[in-house]
Amino acid sequence: MPYSRTHTEIDLLAIKHNAEAIKRHTGNQLIAVVKADAYGHGAVPVAETLCSVADMFAVATVEEGIKLRQADIRKPILILFSCLPMQVEEIVEFSLTPTIGDREFATALNEVASETKPIKVHVNVNTGMNRSGVCWKEALQFLNKLKTLPRLEVEGIFTHLATADEVDKSFVSVQLNRLASILAHKDGKMVHVANSAATLAVPESHFDAVRPGLSLYGIYPAAEKPIPLKPALTWKARIGWIGSISEGEGVSYGLTYKAPYQTRVAMVQIGYGDGYPRSLSGSGEVLISGMRRPIVGRVCMDVSVVQLEPSDEVSIGDEVVLIGKQGNEEITVDEIAQCSGTIPYEILTQIGPRVKRTFRPVTHNNEH
Ligand SMILES: *Cc1c(COP(=O)(O)O)cnc(C)c1O
């Protein structure tokens, strides 16, 4: 492989393994969520890999859906959020499956859809997340009104859970109860509710299909780990400089770290300009030669500094693991998220454009 300052290695077979494990666990259809570039793993290669496992893909935006179509992904692609009336032409042109959450958009879509082949849509019912969808109290009436738009075919009905990753599942029950009144009239439509947390821990939310994202990438959204998942992303950088500093010397902006004794330090070519959280300043760890070494001082835009031990045999250019395994040690996305006060979702989706993405296996499965 040519030199790269920092790169991620995406294990596509791990993602396939996770998707298959989830399908076995639920026994239902799988809507694989590949929004935000498949949580930083690369939407096109991930979708290519999952074409034989997923029944449908889900993205957040029309642009994300078009990108998959242009890469020749032919499975249905659901757009999880309501679109704007000005986007209806593109939705029809690229055969995307939009979410309907209001009457105005539905009317605009009906106007451009084909007379001979109705466009499939999913109706988002707001049961308590309160960020999108038709209010559950009005959902039946809304579904009836949609029947007057002949070029729309309601294929699915879904809702999104606000607290499935919490120990207390009482609000999950509230949301499922609110949905229940509508499901009495579902007449054959596909119902889907479960994000990763509910897919793993709330069997009564599985309905006809589950809609996981994070767990496909091998990360658990909560403490429950009912099935073994494999993390798919490794993030590496390189040592760019090694120095020796005297007792009392500081490191990096603000000199927030002071060497307690004569210390060797190494600069790692990774910074917040790559999406490596600045909040790991003075608290995160990396793996060097299979050992954990602490980040000292502030994470800069392009580089960070770690403290070495006297016994460390390291050279400029050596690989450093930021996320993933090296030797017998492992740094998980969860650890990085906890250490920087956020969630794994944010760590993964913040990995920046300077970080080259590589895939294993290199040849993609092109079976759609
Ligand atoms: C992102 C998203 C999901 C997937 O959530 P995970 O927690 O990553 O499994 C499912 N449904 C909707 C509507 C979403 O926005």
Side-chain angles (χ1 to χ4, degrees), residues 288-300:
I288 295 179
S289 309
M291 312 282 228
R292 286 177 172 266
R293 293 291 173 253
I295 296 172
V296 291
R298 292 198 184 133
V299 170
C300 307

Side-chain angles (χ1 to χ4, degrees), residues 281-345:
S281 297
S283 69
E285 290 184 329
V286 303
L287 303 182
I288 295 179
S289 309
M291 312 282 228
R292 286 177 172 266
R293 293 291 173 253
I295 296 172
V296 291
R298 292 198 184 133
V299 170
C300 307
M301 186 185 291
D302 313 295
V303 301
S304 303
V305 179
V306 298
Q307 187 179 32
L308 298 174
E309 291 299 323
S311 57
D312 287 348
E313 286 177 24
V314 296
S315 322
I316 288 176
D318 280 4
E319 242 175 36
V320 176
V321 169
L322 312 171
I323 292 175
K325 290 183 184 153
Q326 197 185 52
N328 298 322
E329 279 288 353
E330 179 173 13
I331 293 179
T332 63
V333 181
D334 267 314
E335 177 185 334
I336 297 285
Q338 270 175 28
C339 202
S340 56
T342 184
I343 51 175
Y345 300 80

Side-chain angles (χ1 to χ4, degrees), residues 33 35 39 80-81 131 158-160 193-197 211-215 221 345:
V33 179
K35 62 188 180 185
Y39 296 50
L80 291 166
F81 293 93
R131 69 173 187 188
F158 76 95
T159 194
H160 194 47
V193 173
N195 56 3
S196 291
R211 212 173 57 231
L214 191 71
S215 53
Y345 300 80

